[in-house]
Amino acid sequence: MTRFSMLDLATSAPGRTVREALAEVVPAARAAEAAGYHRVWYAEHHNMQAVASSATAVLVGHVAAHTSSIRLGAGGVMLPNHSPLAIAEQFGTLAELHPGRIDLGLGRAPGGDLAMLAALRRRPEDSERFPTDVVELASYLGDGLPTEAVNAYPGRGTKVPLYILGSSLFGANLAARLGLPYAFASHFAPDALDVALATYRRSFRPSAACPEPYAIVAANVVASDDAAEAAHTFRAVLRERVRRFVLRPGAELSDVDVETILDGSHGERVRHMMSVSAVGKVADVRGYVGELLERTGADEIIVAHQVPELRARVRSIELLAEALA
């Protein structure tokens, strides 16, 4: 059976605080663990009021301490924002505290805008070092000394599994060249999905860590016992995306006005961004995800449950497991 996993951004819905969003991370992970999910990942984003998962290592450690078996990790750390040594020490520490449960997905994007980069004391051109930074990070987590002078303690010998994340051919080529698993962010950037997976598999070079290509495909899911409720929830999520990505900062419009924008040409960007989405009852979700897996041949699907309210999100987590059982 294809593995299924969860991506959690610790999203705070309108009118709710960051603290409230973070308080729901453990219950959601426990629900995924009980339902048989393979892993939960948390993604690094910055300067986004609705996303509370910026400090991925802190969040992974917190959830690991309150779960028992599910794999946990970053999906991912935006490596150009960090020193490879610092990330090796962070995730090496997590691996020593929670052996056999920690993953490390790596992305090249900054996870924010130019103002955010300046606040992190980083530059846009730092992303050009991404391939060499991945190799350096892998050396810190391996058994050998990366240099005569520098080592990662904790980190050395933990062999934390690395994954390359991407939404373009760059990540696909890099993952293939380094012999690493590849996760495609089709839950918000679906355009290059098919060609990226084909490129990755065609160019893949086996490694000790990953002897065969391993592809993870991301999707959005809103599963409910009531199809109309699922559709209503997903439509509300689309409206929030319009407010975040289409409207000017500070603009205040009613839901009716946003609906008009969403159905027009300006809303097409949002609708397309969220086009890889399974919405409905168990049978609907099973059918959509089954077609996606058949189309992509993915070894694993990782889903973002786009359900703001915790109880309904937990039910969506359970229903996806039921759909894929």
PDB file of all heavy atoms in Angstrom, residues 48-79:
ATOM      1  N   MET A  48       4.483  35.342   7.762  1.00  0.00           N
ATOM      2  CA  MET A  48       3.124  34.993   7.355  1.00  0.00           C
ATOM      3  C   MET A  48       2.299  34.821   8.626  1.00  0.00           C
ATOM      4  O   MET A  48       2.506  33.861   9.384  1.00  0.00           O
ATOM      5  CB  MET A  48       3.103  33.720   6.513  1.00  0.00           C
ATOM      6  CG  MET A  48       3.842  33.847   5.197  1.00  0.00           C
ATOM      7  SD  MET A  48       3.801  32.326   4.207  1.00  0.00           S
ATOM      8  CE  MET A  48       2.066  32.258   3.774  1.00  0.00           C
ATOM      9  N   GLN A  49       1.389  35.728   8.855  1.00  0.00           N
ATOM     10  CA  GLN A  49       0.642  35.763  10.111  1.00  0.00           C
ATOM     11  C   GLN A  49      -0.160  34.489  10.338  1.00  0.00           C
ATOM     12  O   GLN A  49      -0.356  34.068  11.487  1.00  0.00           O
ATOM     13  CB  GLN A  49      -0.291  36.977  10.116  1.00  0.00           C
ATOM     14  CG  GLN A  49      -1.014  37.199  11.434  1.00  0.00           C
ATOM     15  CD  GLN A  49      -1.835  38.472  11.420  1.00  0.00           C
ATOM     16  OE1 GLN A  49      -1.921  39.153  10.407  1.00  0.00           O
ATOM     17  NE2 GLN A  49      -2.440  38.804  12.544  1.00  0.00           N
ATOM     18  N   ALA A  50      -0.605  33.845   9.269  1.00  0.00           N
ATOM     19  CA  ALA A  50      -1.481  32.685   9.411  1.00  0.00           C
ATOM     20  C   ALA A  50      -0.719  31.376   9.585  1.00  0.00           C
ATOM     21  O   ALA A  50      -1.347  30.335   9.811  1.00  0.00           O
ATOM     22  CB  ALA A  50      -2.401  32.578   8.194  1.00  0.00           C
ATOM     23  N   VAL A  51       0.600  31.390   9.474  1.00  0.00           N
ATOM     24  CA  VAL A  51       1.387  30.152   9.533  1.00  0.00           C
ATOM     25  C   VAL A  51       2.331  30.216  10.726  1.00  0.00           C
ATOM     26  O   VAL A  51       3.167  31.118  10.822  1.00  0.00           O
ATOM     27  CB  VAL A  51       2.170  29.942   8.222  1.00  0.00           C
ATOM     28  CG1 VAL A  51       3.040  28.707   8.312  1.00  0.00           C
ATOM     29  CG2 VAL A  51       1.199  29.815   7.047  1.00  0.00           C
ATOM     30  N   ALA A  52       2.231  29.234  11.622  1.00  0.00           N
ATOM     31  CA  ALA A  52       2.999  29.258  12.869  1.00  0.00           C
ATOM     32  C   ALA A  52       4.088  28.192  12.922  1.00  0.00           C
ATOM     33  O   ALA A  52       4.576  27.861  13.995  1.00  0.00           O
ATOM     34  CB  ALA A  52       2.054  29.083  14.058  1.00  0.00           C
ATOM     35  N   SER A  53       4.489  27.646  11.761  1.00  0.00           N
ATOM     36  CA  SER A  53       5.449  26.539  11.749  1.00  0.00           C
ATOM     37  C   SER A  53       6.862  26.979  11.371  1.00  0.00           C
ATOM     38  O   SER A  53       7.650  26.182  10.863  1.00  0.00           O
ATOM     39  CB  SER A  53       4.983  25.450  10.775  1.00  0.00           C
ATOM     40  OG  SER A  53       4.850  25.972   9.458  1.00  0.00           O
ATOM     41  N   SER A  54       7.206  28.236  11.626  1.00  0.00           N
ATOM     42  CA  SER A  54       8.494  28.753  11.158  1.00  0.00           C
ATOM     43  C   SER A  54       9.687  28.076  11.831  1.00  0.00           C
ATOM     44  O   SER A  54      10.711  27.846  11.198  1.00  0.00           O
ATOM     45  CB  SER A  54       8.559  30.267  11.372  1.00  0.00           C
ATOM     46  OG  SER A  54       8.310  30.588  12.729  1.00  0.00           O
ATOM     47  N   ALA A  55       9.576  27.751  13.115  1.00  0.00           N
ATOM     48  CA  ALA A  55      10.689  27.130  13.854  1.00  0.00           C
ATOM     49  C   ALA A  55      10.499  25.617  13.845  1.00  0.00           C
ATOM     50  O   ALA A  55      10.065  25.005  14.819  1.00  0.00           O
ATOM     51  CB  ALA A  55      10.757  27.663  15.281  1.00  0.00           C
ATOM     52  N   THR A  56      10.850  24.988  12.721  1.00  0.00           N
ATOM     53  CA  THR A  56      10.487  23.583  12.508  1.00  0.00           C
ATOM     54  C   THR A  56      11.106  22.646  13.537  1.00  0.00           C
ATOM     55  O   THR A  56      10.435  21.735  14.031  1.00  0.00           O
ATOM     56  CB  THR A  56      10.903  23.131  11.097  1.00  0.00           C
ATOM     57  OG1 THR A  56      12.288  23.406  10.903  1.00  0.00           O
ATOM     58  CG2 THR A  56      10.108  23.865  10.041  1.00  0.00           C
ATOM     59  N   ALA A  57      12.374  22.837  13.873  1.00  0.00           N
ATOM     60  CA  ALA A  57      13.024  21.924  14.808  1.00  0.00           C
ATOM     61  C   ALA A  57      12.366  21.982  16.179  1.00  0.00           C
ATOM     62  O   ALA A  57      12.200  20.943  16.848  1.00  0.00           O
ATOM     63  CB  ALA A  57      14.511  22.252  14.921  1.00  0.00           C
ATOM     64  N   VAL A  58      11.964  23.174  16.608  1.00  0.00           N
ATOM     65  CA  VAL A  58      11.289  23.309  17.901  1.00  0.00           C
ATOM     66  C   VAL A  58       9.958  22.566  17.877  1.00  0.00           C
ATOM     67  O   VAL A  58       9.600  21.831  18.815  1.00  0.00           O
ATOM     68  CB  VAL A  58      11.065  24.794  18.238  1.00  0.00           C
ATOM     69  CG1 VAL A  58      10.285  24.940  19.538  1.00  0.00           C
ATOM     70  CG2 VAL A  58      12.395  25.523  18.339  1.00  0.00           C
ATOM     71  N   LEU A  59       9.228  22.733  16.784  1.00  0.00           N
ATOM     72  CA  LEU A  59       7.923  22.083  16.662  1.00  0.00           C
ATOM     73  C   LEU A  59       8.064  20.563  16.602  1.00  0.00           C
ATOM     74  O   LEU A  59       7.300  19.830  17.245  1.00  0.00           O
ATOM     75  CB  LEU A  59       7.223  22.606  15.403  1.00  0.00           C
ATOM     76  CG  LEU A  59       5.697  22.646  15.390  1.00  0.00           C
ATOM     77  CD1 LEU A  59       5.148  23.343  16.618  1.00  0.00           C
ATOM     78  CD2 LEU A  59       5.215  23.315  14.119  1.00  0.00           C
ATOM     79  N   VAL A  60       9.031  20.074  15.845  1.00  0.00           N
ATOM     80  CA  VAL A  60       9.253  18.623  15.752  1.00  0.00           C
ATOM     81  C   VAL A  60       9.575  18.041  17.121  1.00  0.00           C
ATOM     82  O   VAL A  60       9.043  16.993  17.516  1.00  0.00           O
ATOM     83  CB  VAL A  60      10.384  18.314  14.752  1.00  0.00           C
ATOM     84  CG1 VAL A  60      10.811  16.843  14.843  1.00  0.00           C
ATOM     85  CG2 VAL A  60       9.937  18.637  13.324  1.00  0.00           C
ATOM     86  N   GLY A  61      10.437  18.707  17.875  1.00  0.00           N
ATOM     87  CA  GLY A  61      10.787  18.220  19.200  1.00  0.00           C
ATOM     88  C   GLY A  61       9.590  18.183  20.126  1.00  0.00           C
ATOM     89  O   GLY A  61       9.417  17.234  20.909  1.00  0.00           O
ATOM     90  N   HIS A  62       8.756  19.210  20.061  1.00  0.00           N
ATOM     91  CA  HIS A  62       7.560  19.273  20.908  1.00  0.00           C
ATOM     92  C   HIS A  62       6.617  18.123  20.586  1.00  0.00           C
ATOM     93  O   HIS A  62       6.124  17.420  21.486  1.00  0.00           O
ATOM     94  CB  HIS A  62       6.866  20.619  20.695  1.00  0.00           C
ATOM     95  CG  HIS A  62       5.545  20.742  21.393  1.00  0.00           C
ATOM     96  ND1 HIS A  62       5.421  20.713  22.758  1.00  0.00           N
ATOM     97  CD2 HIS A  62       4.289  20.900  20.885  1.00  0.00           C
ATOM     98  CE1 HIS A  62       4.140  20.846  23.085  1.00  0.00           C
ATOM     99  NE2 HIS A  62       3.437  20.961  21.969  1.00  0.00           N
ATOM    100  N   VAL A  63       6.359  17.902  19.295  1.00  0.00           N
ATOM    101  CA  VAL A  63       5.411  16.853  18.907  1.00  0.00           C
ATOM    102  C   VAL A  63       5.996  15.471  19.191  1.00  0.00           C
ATOM    103  O   VAL A  63       5.282  14.553  19.630  1.00  0.00           O
ATOM    104  CB  VAL A  63       5.025  17.004  17.426  1.00  0.00           C
ATOM    105  CG1 VAL A  63       4.099  15.867  16.997  1.00  0.00           C
ATOM    106  CG2 VAL A  63       4.337  18.350  17.188  1.00  0.00           C
ATOM    107  N   ALA A  64       7.288  15.303  18.959  1.00  0.00           N
ATOM    108  CA  ALA A  64       7.915  14.006  19.220  1.00  0.00           C
ATOM    109  C   ALA A  64       7.785  13.603  20.681  1.00  0.00           C
ATOM    110  O   ALA A  64       7.626  12.422  21.005  1.00  0.00           O
ATOM    111  CB  ALA A  64       9.386  14.042  18.813  1.00  0.00           C
ATOM    112  N   ALA A  65       7.854  14.589  21.574  1.00  0.00           N
ATOM    113  CA  ALA A  65       7.744  14.305  23.005  1.00  0.00           C
ATOM    114  C   ALA A  65       6.326  13.918  23.409  1.00  0.00           C
ATOM    115  O   ALA A  65       6.134  13.372  24.505  1.00  0.00           O
ATOM    116  CB  ALA A  65       8.197  15.518  23.808  1.00  0.00           C
ATOM    117  N   HIS A  66       5.340  14.177  22.538  1.00  0.00           N
ATOM    118  CA  HIS A  66       3.944  13.893  22.869  1.00  0.00           C
ATOM    119  C   HIS A  66       3.327  12.838  21.949  1.00  0.00           C
ATOM    120  O   HIS A  66       2.105  12.677  21.918  1.00  0.00           O
ATOM    121  CB  HIS A  66       3.122  15.188  22.809  1.00  0.00           C
ATOM    122  CG  HIS A  66       3.460  16.154  23.900  1.00  0.00           C
ATOM    123  ND1 HIS A  66       4.504  17.047  23.804  1.00  0.00           N
ATOM    124  CD2 HIS A  66       2.903  16.350  25.125  1.00  0.00           C
ATOM    125  CE1 HIS A  66       4.579  17.758  24.910  1.00  0.00           C
ATOM    126  NE2 HIS A  66       3.626  17.358  25.730  1.00  0.00           N
ATOM    127  N   THR A  67       4.167  12.148  21.173  1.00  0.00           N
ATOM    128  CA  THR A  67       3.729  11.014  20.361  1.00  0.00           C
ATOM    129  C   THR A  67       4.719   9.885  20.610  1.00  0.00           C
ATOM    130  O   THR A  67       5.724  10.063  21.296  1.00  0.00           O
ATOM    131  CB  THR A  67       3.691  11.379  18.865  1.00  0.00           C
ATOM    132  OG1 THR A  67       4.960  11.938  18.472  1.00  0.00           O
ATOM    133  CG2 THR A  67       2.594  12.395  18.562  1.00  0.00           C
ATOM    134  N   SER A  68       4.453   8.716  20.029  1.00  0.00           N
ATOM    135  CA  SER A  68       5.307   7.584  20.370  1.00  0.00           C
ATOM    136  C   SER A  68       5.967   6.884  19.192  1.00  0.00           C
ATOM    137  O   SER A  68       7.044   6.307  19.345  1.00  0.00           O
ATOM    138  CB  SER A  68       4.494   6.538  21.155  1.00  0.00           C
ATOM    139  OG  SER A  68       3.389   6.088  20.380  1.00  0.00           O
ATOM    140  N   SER A  69       5.362   6.906  18.001  1.00  0.00           N
ATOM    141  CA  SER A  69       5.904   6.084  16.918  1.00  0.00           C
ATOM    142  C   SER A  69       5.955   6.765  15.565  1.00  0.00           C
ATOM    143  O   SER A  69       6.798   6.415  14.728  1.00  0.00           O
ATOM    144  CB  SER A  69       5.072   4.795  16.787  1.00  0.00           C
ATOM    145  OG  SER A  69       3.712   5.113  16.508  1.00  0.00           O
ATOM    146  N   ILE A  70       5.100   7.724  15.286  1.00  0.00           N
ATOM    147  CA  ILE A  70       5.037   8.327  13.961  1.00  0.00           C
ATOM    148  C   ILE A  70       6.321   9.093  13.669  1.00  0.00           C
ATOM    149  O   ILE A  70       6.929   9.684  14.557  1.00  0.00           O
ATOM    150  CB  ILE A  70       3.805   9.245  13.851  1.00  0.00           C
ATOM    151  CG1 ILE A  70       3.528   9.590  12.385  1.00  0.00           C
ATOM    152  CG2 ILE A  70       3.958  10.507  14.705  1.00  0.00           C
ATOM    153  CD1 ILE A  70       2.152  10.205  12.159  1.00  0.00           C
ATOM    154  N   ARG A  71       6.768   9.035  12.412  1.00  0.00           N
ATOM    155  CA  ARG A  71       7.940   9.798  12.004  1.00  0.00           C
ATOM    156  C   ARG A  71       7.581  11.280  11.933  1.00  0.00           C
ATOM    157  O   ARG A  71       6.448  11.647  11.583  1.00  0.00           O
ATOM    158  CB  ARG A  71       8.460   9.327  10.642  1.00  0.00           C
ATOM    159  CG  ARG A  71       8.931   7.877  10.613  1.00  0.00           C
ATOM    160  CD  ARG A  71       9.698   7.587   9.336  1.00  0.00           C
ATOM    161  NE  ARG A  71      10.955   8.337   9.305  1.00  0.00           N
ATOM    162  CZ  ARG A  71      12.099   7.911   9.815  1.00  0.00           C
ATOM    163  NH1 ARG A  71      12.160   6.726  10.416  1.00  0.00           N
ATOM    164  NH2 ARG A  71      13.189   8.646   9.743  1.00  0.00           N
ATOM    165  N   LEU A  72       8.558  12.126  12.247  1.00  0.00           N
ATOM    166  CA  LEU A  72       8.343  13.564  12.280  1.00  0.00           C
ATOM    167  C   LEU A  72       9.529  14.267  11.628  1.00  0.00           C
ATOM    168  O   LEU A  72      10.653  13.778  11.691  1.00  0.00           O
ATOM    169  CB  LEU A  72       8.200  14.052  13.724  1.00  0.00           C
ATOM    170  CG  LEU A  72       7.023  13.449  14.504  1.00  0.00           C
ATOM    171  CD1 LEU A  72       7.227  13.622  15.991  1.00  0.00           C
ATOM    172  CD2 LEU A  72       5.708  14.075  14.050  1.00  0.00           C
ATOM    173  N   GLY A  73       9.267  15.408  11.028  1.00  0.00           N
ATOM    174  CA  GLY A  73      10.385  16.114  10.414  1.00  0.00           C
ATOM    175  C   GLY A  73       9.963  17.416   9.793  1.00  0.00           C
ATOM    176  O   GLY A  73       8.835  17.893   9.966  1.00  0.00           O
ATOM    177  N   ALA A  74      10.884  17.985   9.065  1.00  0.00           N
ATOM    178  CA  ALA A  74      10.659  19.249   8.374  1.00  0.00           C
ATOM    179  C   ALA A  74      10.315  18.976   6.928  1.00  0.00           C
ATOM    180  O   ALA A  74      10.962  18.164   6.274  1.00  0.00           O
ATOM    181  CB  ALA A  74      11.912  20.126   8.446  1.00  0.00           C
ATOM    182  N   GLY A  75       9.317  19.663   6.477  1.00  0.00           N
ATOM    183  CA  GLY A  75       8.959  19.539   5.071  1.00  0.00           C
ATOM    184  C   GLY A  75       8.680  20.898   4.446  1.00  0.00           C
ATOM    185  O   GLY A  75       7.583  21.133   3.991  1.00  0.00           O
ATOM    186  N   GLY A  76       9.696  21.773   4.453  1.00  0.00           N
ATOM    187  CA  GLY A  76      11.025  21.444   4.930  1.00  0.00           C
ATOM    188  C   GLY A  76      11.714  22.646   5.555  1.00  0.00           C
ATOM    189  O   GLY A  76      11.176  23.735   5.642  1.00  0.00           O
ATOM    190  N   VAL A  77      12.971  22.405   5.906  1.00  0.00           N
ATOM    191  CA  VAL A  77      13.881  23.485   6.274  1.00  0.00           C
ATOM    192  C   VAL A  77      14.349  24.174   4.998  1.00  0.00           C
ATOM    193  O   VAL A  77      14.778  23.509   4.046  1.00  0.00           O
ATOM    194  CB  VAL A  77      15.086  22.929   7.052  1.00  0.00           C
ATOM    195  CG1 VAL A  77      16.235  23.933   7.083  1.00  0.00           C
ATOM    196  CG2 VAL A  77      14.679  22.564   8.471  1.00  0.00           C
ATOM    197  N   MET A  78      14.268  25.491   4.967  1.00  0.00           N
ATOM    198  CA  MET A  78      14.746  26.246   3.811  1.00  0.00           C
ATOM    199  C   MET A  78      16.239  26.510   4.028  1.00  0.00           C
ATOM    200  O   MET A  78      16.643  27.483   4.684  1.00  0.00           O
ATOM    201  CB  MET A  78      13.972  27.549   3.658  1.00  0.00           C
ATOM    202  CG  MET A  78      12.469  27.358   3.475  1.00  0.00           C
ATOM    203  SD  MET A  78      12.023  26.440   1.970  1.00  0.00           S
ATOM    204  CE  MET A  78      11.559  24.847   2.642  1.00  0.00           C
ATOM    205  N   LEU A  79      17.060  25.611   3.500  1.00  0.00           N
ATOM    206  CA  LEU A  79      18.468  25.555   3.868  1.00  0.00           C
ATOM    207  C   LEU A  79      19.245  26.843   3.586  1.00  0.00           C
ATOM    208  O   LEU A  79      20.158  27.179   4.368  1.00  0.00           O
ATOM    209  CB  LEU A  79      19.130  24.357   3.178  1.00  0.00           C
ATOM    210  CG  LEU A  79      20.505  23.955   3.695  1.00  0.00           C
ATOM    211  CD1 LEU A  79      20.502  23.720   5.194  1.00  0.00           C
ATOM    212  CD2 LEU A  79      21.001  22.709   2.969  1.00  0.00           C
TER     213      LEU A  79
END
